[in-house]
Amino acid sequence: NAGVTQTPKFQVLKTGQSMTLQCAQDMNHNSMYWYRQDPGMGLRLIYYSASEGTTDKGEVPNGYNVSRLNKREFSLRLESAAPSQTSVYFCASSEAVVVVEQFFGPGTRLTVL
Amino acid sequence: GEDVEQSLFLSVREGDSSVINCTYTDSSSTYLYWYKQEPGAGLQLLTYIFSNMDMKQDQRLTVLLNKKDKHLSLRIADTQTGDSAIYFCAEFNNAGNMLTFGGGTRLMVKP
């Protein structure tokens, strides 16, 4: 099992460009999450999907959209990238929202110039 | 809102014990967690404790929870160079359906 995979690993964008970060899990988990990690601030939840067909805002949703394409895949879209969105983005999954463990992908390092 | 605080940095010698501390503000937290992040990687769950417990031991790891003071600690016995990483404290709140993470403590283990 690959666990949680993310593409791309690195990306550089110019201000105003758009892009989609992809995430997939092969553990048959119901819930999936997108976080951003900034130095000294830990991880902050952007959006999550409790189950296929549902998405909800997290702590910092502004500037982002998500799509739960199917049970395996959960994508994060930046429509018009801003330098404040420079960060490392992590996708995670869990069997359900109220469970002990979330499994994390390796991250995508995004720089917006 | 909820807030989880950790010190930024801890340095210990190989073989010593490490103690990483965390404070949180949400008294309705149900689970509290310790995650480990190695360079260039995602987070891995190390251990967790349910809010009605005071202590949990798992091999070299001991978690202590003081609910009155909203203080969580992680003790690593016989710290090894492979334990060098960033350690994140996190809490789960049923009402918010989300994990809230601290800023992380970078542990450096000197040989």
Side-chain angles (χ1 to χ4, degrees):
Chain A
N1 286 353
V4 179
T5 56
Q6 292 182 237
T7 55
K9 282 189 170 39
F10 302 93
Q11 184 72 48
V12 179
L13 292 178
K14 293 181 180 175
T15 297
Q17 286 186 315
S18 61
M19 81 161 294
T20 300
L21 281 65
Q22 306 286 354
C23 173
Q25 52 91 9
D26 62 2
M27 295 174 281
N28 201 35
H29 285 167
N30 289 302
S31 302
M32 297 184 74
Y33 313 81
W34 276 106
Y35 292 91
R36 60 178 287 172
Q37 183 181 28
D38 301 298
M41 297 188 70
L43 275 73
R44 292 181 292 169
L45 184 66
I46 304 171
Y47 271 94
Y48 70 100
S49 171
S51 60
E52 189 179 353
T54 70
T55 60
D56 284 286
K57 293 178 182 178
E59 185 184 355
V60 289
N62 290 346
Y64 304 95
N65 285 301
V66 290
S67 296
R68 183 76 182 265
L69 303 167
N70 47 55
K71 192 171 185 179
R72 288 188 64 247
E73 298 171 290
F74 188 39
S75 63
L76 178 73
R77 183 158 178 87
L78 287 71
E79 289 291 351
S80 178
S84 60
Q85 294 178 304
T86 293
S87 190
V88 181
Y89 291 85
F90 288 99
C91 178
S93 71
S94 61
E95 288 181 13
V97 171
V98 186
V99 291
V100 173
E101 185 169 7
Q102 292 184 11
F103 294 81
F104 284 80
T108 295
R109 186 174 293 274
L110 175 68
T111 301
V112 183
L113 302 175
Chain B
E2 298 86 4
D3 204 13
V4 180
E5 304 266 348
Q6 300 177 238
S7 54
L8 283 178
F9 189 74
L10 176 66
S11 178
V12 300
R13 293 216 171 270
E14 193 173 17
D16 288 349
S17 291
S18 310
V19 180
I20 303 171
N21 294 301
C22 170
T23 58
Y24 60 97
T25 57
D26 187 356
S27 57
S28 61
S29 299
T30 50
Y31 285 101
L32 295 122
Y33 305 81
W34 285 104
Y35 277 85
K36 178 183 180 182
Q37 184 182 32
E38 295 184 358
L43 277 68
Q44 282 186 297
L45 181 66
L46 269 184
T47 187
Y48 66 94
I49 189 166
F50 191 53
S51 58
N52 67 354
M53 298 168 66
D54 297 323
M55 186 182 91
K56 180 177 180 181
Q57 189 149 2
D58 184 1
Q59 300 182 336
R60 293 190 297 123
L61 305 178
T62 303
V63 178
L64 294 177
L65 175 60
N66 181 328
K67 272 196 88 171
K68 176 174 166 290
D69 293 340
K70 298 191 185 73
H71 182 266
L72 183 74
S73 68
L74 174 70
R75 180 176 179 269
I76 306 173
D78 188 24
T79 314
Q80 302 298 306
T81 53
D83 295 324
S84 292
I86 302 176
Y87 291 80
F88 290 93
C89 168
E91 57 156 4
F92 182 81
N93 177 282
N94 275 355
N97 263 353
M98 63 176 74
L99 281 176
T100 301
F101 286 86
T105 299
R106 183 178 294 274
L107 174 64
M108 178 181 288
V109 182
K110 298 178 184 175

